[in-house]
């Protein structure tokens, strides 16, 4: 049975209290965790001598630096921790540099993680140098701690400039200002203290590849989704082609033919169209506070992808407006969808973790009403969660989209443009076994 939501006292700031014994235990368990939970097969690196040099100068008191890493998945932090511990010392030996152990970094994490991960995370994350941050509001406890650790910390800082995971290996979300702002503060504090240290931001990015060809798994997944949507099986030439794709022996570098590309993308488009239509109908019928605009005139002159994008954006905007109205929030036209979702989450937390009253002094009746408010606010969070997940969805993020629909972005063009930017920066490779996946963490 789900534990009932009750009104509680305000969330406390979980100050980091680094414990080397806890980190040592994490190092022992991490390889098993990566294989069993993250399906990470192995970790490799490219241009990592840059990172070795930065750590060497940091430990010599010549440099303060920040690791600005791409955050496409929740598996990024444990993978990076493993790389710093297991792979970097091998490289420093080749470079003739002896790094002090542990090779580690303080990191930011969402304050909401311990709320759903439980008491273990509540204790573990601060013990290994984690700094919690509350999204959607100025978190002064976090900012003060970051500023201190950047200048005086035993390790560098590791921050994801995007602020959240987007699930894309080659599509970078809008960067937040945190890395730049904390770096300016660090420079100010170093100058004020009369210390002659340099400061650097080392960018690290993430993308995914597969050790085995992923197309058979993709076809199986598409088929499973189609069955859940109630679609009839394909017929004629399409069914024959699908059977051929599902049963073929694929080599790791093999790509789809133009005929196969032309078959797969419409399948994905059909699934997207069906799911979006279901969500629109669901909200119109059961959530009358969600007011969807009539978009028929706008959709008439748009391509299928552009039409889906417009409808999805309209649905997410309507859902957020409903939540803002329920929570009595003032609308902000200058805020994008993600920022509005974070503002909503922050307001829901204010209705659960009350800063406006002392929960302990309330009467039983007042406490019961406060629990009702907290429970209803929490039930509305699922609307915000799906918006948060779909805000990064785009119909153009497919390797073969450019060939099938004009205006789509090809995988090759994305990789090529990225390579020209990453020259000289750090590149890390995470090789995984999910569908026997190879995961590449590459500088950008």
């Amino acid at each position: 049975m789900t534990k009932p939501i009750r009104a509680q006292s305000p969330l406390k700031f979980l100050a980091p209290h680094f414990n080397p014994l806890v980190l040592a235990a994490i190092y022992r368990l991490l390889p098993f965790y990566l294989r069993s939970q993250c399906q990470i097969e192995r970790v490799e690196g490219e241009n990592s001598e840059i990172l070795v040099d930065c750590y060497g100068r940091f430990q010599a008191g010549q440099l303060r630096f920040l690791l600005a890493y791409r955050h496409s998945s929740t598996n990024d932090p444990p993978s990076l921790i493993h790389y710093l511990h297991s792979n970097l010392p091998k490289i420093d030996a080749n470079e003739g540099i002896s790094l002090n152990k542990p090779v580690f970094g303080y990191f930011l994490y969402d304050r909401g993680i311990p709320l759903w991960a439980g008491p273990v995370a509540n204790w573990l994350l601060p013990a290994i140098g984690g700094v919690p941050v509350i999204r959607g509001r100025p978190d002064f406890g976090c900012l003060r701690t970051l500023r201190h650790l950047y200048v005086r910390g035993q390790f560098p800082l590791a921050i994801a400039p995007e602020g959240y995971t987007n699930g894309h290996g080659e599509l970078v979300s809008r960067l937040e200002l945190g890395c730049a702002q904390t770096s300016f503060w660090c420079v100010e504090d170093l100058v004020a203290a009369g210390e002659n240290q340099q400061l650097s931001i080392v960018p690290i990015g993430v993308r995914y590849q597969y050790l085995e060809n992923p197309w058979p798994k993709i076809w199986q997944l598409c088929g499973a989704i189609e069955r859940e949507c109630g679609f009839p099986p394909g017929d004629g030439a399409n069914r024959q082609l699908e059977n051929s794709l599902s049963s073929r022996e694929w080599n790791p570098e093999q790509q789809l033919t133009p005929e196969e590309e032309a078959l797969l993308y419409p399948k994905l488009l059909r699934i997207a169209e069906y799911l979006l239509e279901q969500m629109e109908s669901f909200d119109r019928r059961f959530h009358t506070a969600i007011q969807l605009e009539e978009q028929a005139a706008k959709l008439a002159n748009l391509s299928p992808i552009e039409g889906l994008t417009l409808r999805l954006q309209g649905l997410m905007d309507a859902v957020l407006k409903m939540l803002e109205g329920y929570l009595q929030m003032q609308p902000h036209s200058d805020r994008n969808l993600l920022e509005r979702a974070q503002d909503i989450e922050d307001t829901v937390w204010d209705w659960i973790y009350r800063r406006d009253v002392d929960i302990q002094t309330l009467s039983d009746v007042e406490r019961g009403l406060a629990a009702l408010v907290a429970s209803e606010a929490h039930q509305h969070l699922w609307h915000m969660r799906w918006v948060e997940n779909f805000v990064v969805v785009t119909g153009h993020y497919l390797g073969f989209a450019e060939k099938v629909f004009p205006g789509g972005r090809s995988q090759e063009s994305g990789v090529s443009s990225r390579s020209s930017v990453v020259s000289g920066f750090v590149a890390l490779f995470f090789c995984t076994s999910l569908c026997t996946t190879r995961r590449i963490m590459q500088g950008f």
Side-chain angles (χ1 to χ4, degrees):
M1 184 180 233
T2 305
K3 186 177 180 181
I5 301 298
R6 303 189 307 272
Q8 302 174 49
S9 300
L11 289 172
K12 295 180 180 179
F13 177 72
L14 303 176
H17 48 85
F18 178 74
N19 187 327
L21 296 179
V22 176
L23 182 62
I26 292 293
Y27 283 151
R28 288 184 174 273
L29 297 174
L30 201 52
F32 305 100
Y33 175 81
L34 290 173
R35 287 191 177 92
S36 62
Q37 301 300 315
C38 307
Q39 289 75 48
I40 304 290
E41 184 66 24
R42 65 179 183 269
V43 181
E44 302 173 356
E46 193 174 274
N47 294 335
S48 299
E49 62 276 3
I50 299 174
L51 201 52
V52 170
D53 177 69
C54 287
Y55 266 100
R57 293 166 60 197
F58 178 91
Q59 295 178 358
Q62 303 171 357
L63 174 73
R64 309 299 296 186
F65 75 95
L66 181 149
L67 292 169
Y69 65 94
R70 267 242 50 215
H71 202 13
S72 61
S73 165
T74 54
N75 297 330
D76 302 334
S79 301
L80 181 56
I81 291 173
H82 178 72
Y83 179 81
L84 294 177
H85 170 68
S86 299
N87 293 55
L88 220 56
K90 301 175 184 177
I91 300 171
D92 72 10
N94 295 333
E95 295 293 317
I97 300 174
S98 179
L99 297 180
N100 299 326
K101 310 299 186 293
V103 181
F104 191 62
Y106 300 107
F107 59 94
L108 271 181
Y109 66 93
D110 189 336
R111 182 61 178 86
I113 291 178
L115 301 181
W116 56 260
V120 173
N122 209 48
W123 165 83
L124 178 63
L125 293 174
I128 57 174
V131 182
V133 58
I134 297 179
R135 304 183 300 173
R137 75 170 79 152
D139 189 342
F140 296 109
C142 172
L143 295 176
R144 285 192 295 268
T145 302
L146 284 180
R147 187 165 184 169
H148 170 74
L149 292 177
Y150 208 161
V151 179
R152 303 297 174 197
Q154 178 184 354
F155 309 110
L157 289 180
I159 298 178
E162 294 163 282
Y164 66 99
T165 61
N166 72 357
H168 291 312
E170 299 174 1
L171 185 64
V172 180
S173 299
R174 195 191 70 168
L175 304 185
E176 303 292 340
L177 301 178
C179 289
Q181 182 60 67
T182 52
S183 296
F184 282 123
W185 286 338
C186 183
V187 171
E188 291 177 3
D189 293 342
L190 290 174
V191 172
E195 298 188 17
N196 186 23
Q197 294 190 63
Q198 294 181 335
L199 185 141
S200 295
I201 297 178
V202 181
I204 300 176
V206 176
R207 67 170 182 165
Y208 295 85
Q209 287 184 339
Y210 296 93
L211 290 175
E212 292 181 357
N213 200 300
W215 290 114
K217 297 290 186 182
I218 293 175
W219 278 101
Q220 293 174 16
L221 180 60
C222 284
I225 295 174
E226 287 180 325
R227 288 190 294 272
E228 291 180 357
C229 293
F231 294 168
D235 51 15
N238 283 351
R239 176 180 291 185
Q240 184 178 0
L241 183 54
E242 289 184 19
N243 292 337
S244 172
L245 290 168
S246 301
S247 59
R248 180 188 304 170
E249 292 291 332
W250 293 81
N251 66 62
E253 303 299 327
Q254 188 173 354
Q255 299 298 317
L256 294 179
T257 65
E259 294 78 11
E260 294 164 347
E261 293 177 359
L263 174 63
L264 179 56
Y265 198 77
K267 287 167 67 72
L268 298 178
L269 201 60
R270 181 188 182 198
I271 292 171
E273 169 74 28
Y274 173 82
L275 295 176
L276 182 56
E277 185 178 294
Q278 289 296 310
M279 286 303 299
E280 290 171 336
S281 300
F282 173 77
D283 285 331
R284 284 194 180 100
R285 180 177 179 184
F286 297 105
H287 296 94
T288 55
I290 298 177
Q291 300 295 322
L292 294 174
E293 296 181 4
E294 182 56 49
Q295 297 178 324
K298 297 179 181 178
L299 295 173
N301 299 319
L302 298 179
S303 69
I305 296 177
E306 293 170 335
L308 282 175
T309 302
L310 179 64
R311 289 169 57 194
L312 180 60
Q313 294 290 319
L315 180 59
M316 291 190 293
D317 178 67
V319 167
L320 293 182
K321 284 180 178 177
M322 180 274 292
L323 292 174
E324 290 163 345
Y326 170 78
L327 296 168
Q328 304 169 30
M329 299 172 59
Q330 294 296 326
H332 296 282
S333 58
D334 59 330
R335 307 280 280 175
N336 61 38
L337 292 174
L338 182 62
E339 291 170 335
R340 290 166 61 192
Q342 293 173 352
D343 292 342
I344 288 168
E345 180 184 48
D346 183 48
T347 303
V348 169
W349 282 10
D350 278 343
W351 285 30
I352 299 174
Y353 304 97
R354 301 291 291 272
R355 294 186 291 174
D356 57 334
V357 296
D358 185 352
I359 296 295
Q360 305 305 320
T361 63
L362 297 180
S363 66
D364 290 344
V365 173
E366 291 173 319
R367 191 176 291 111
L369 292 173
L372 181 61
V373 169
S375 178
E376 290 184 352
H378 185 266
Q379 290 175 5
H380 280 73
L381 264 184
W382 80 268
H383 291 283
M384 186 279 294
R385 293 295 179 212
W386 86 256
V387 171
E388 192 176 42
N389 287 326
F390 277 85
V391 75
V392 296
V393 170
T394 167
H396 300 284
Y397 190 71
L398 284 172
F400 46 85
E402 187 173 82
K403 302 174 185 176
V404 180
F405 287 100
R409 176 182 172 187
S410 72
Q411 186 179 29
E412 291 78 15
S413 66
V415 174
S416 176
S417 62
R418 182 74 51 78
S419 299
S420 63
V421 177
V422 302
S423 178
F425 289 115
V426 179
L428 305 182
F429 297 82
F430 296 155
C431 301
T432 74
S433 60
L434 177 61
C435 298
T436 323
T437 317
R438 186 183 185 195
R439 180 174 193 207
I440 300 183
M441 189 172 191
Q442 189 172 28
F444 65 95

